[in-house]
Amino acid sequence: MRPVMTLELLAAPAGVSGVRRALRSHGTDVQLCASELVTNVIRHVGEGVPVTVRLWRAEGGRVRLGVSDPDPRVPPVLVAGAGAEAESGRGLALLEALAVRWGVEQEAGRKTVWCELWTEAEAGTDTDAPKTPERSGRRGTSAGALGQSSARS
């Protein structure tokens, strides 16, 4: 399946706003998740590394967002209960709250953190898609380890 959008950039704080602008037509949740994933690359892998952001149409009125970076050794970890005073640790919790499901694909020389989301544009065109994302009734496990994914219905 071919992505509907591919963005190539170097991980830098200024690039995060460019990603949000490029994804504006796909909805706020897509923009927010992309921002968090690119920010995670900056924070945990480093500034200046190449990042690829891809967006695909998925089944049932969803989109699939993938953010790839060149370091498969730094998997994302969902931190349980980041406190109000914590400076970080809420990005993947936000992803967990917004996404229908998410996970990590590790390949030789890169990893991709992906999520599937309802978008405002897609939910409005698919009669089977809810108008707002369902955020309860978890199914599966969180993506705290490579190869696992979180799925919600």
Side-chain angles (χ1 to χ4, degrees):
M1 177 185 329
R2 234 180 111 160
V4 266
M5 179 181 288
T6 300
L7 305 169
E8 305 273 342
L9 63 139
L10 295 179
V16 176
S17 61
V19 169
R20 279 194 305 266
R21 276 191 305 278
L23 295 171
R24 184 175 293 142
S25 66
H26 297 283
T28 306
D29 288 357
V30 171
Q31 289 176 292
L32 190 54
C33 289
S35 295
E36 289 299 328
L37 293 175
V38 173
T39 299
N40 277 353
V41 173
I42 296 166
R43 176 165 279 203
H44 300 292
V45 181
E47 281 193 49
V49 300
V51 175
T52 303
V53 178
R54 291 184 182 90
L55 193 69
W56 297 266
R57 295 202 187 285
E59 296 178 20
R62 299 180 199 170
V63 294
R64 183 177 174 118
L65 171 71
V67 175
S68 301
D69 70 67
D71 194 346
R73 300 169 299 150
V74 184
V77 176
L78 182 62
V79 177
E85 300 298 317
E87 291 184 20
S88 65
R90 292 188 264 311
L92 289 177
L94 180 65
L95 187 77
E96 173 83 4
L98 294 176
V100 175
R101 63 190 193 124
W102 70 279
V104 179
E105 295 172 359
Q106 187 176 18
E107 302 172 47
R110 78 174 182 174
K111 73 171 169 302
T112 300
V113 182
W114 59 269
C115 61
E116 288 185 4
L117 301 131
W118 298 108
T119 66
E120 291 118 33
E122 294 299 317
T125 61
D126 187 334
T127 57
D128 293 333
K131 297 298 179 203
T132 56
E134 295 178 20
R135 306 221 196 265
S136 60
R138 289 188 191 275
R139 187 178 75 209
T141 59
S142 71
L146 290 174
Q148 293 183 329
S149 66
S150 173
R152 297 180 299 149
S153 52

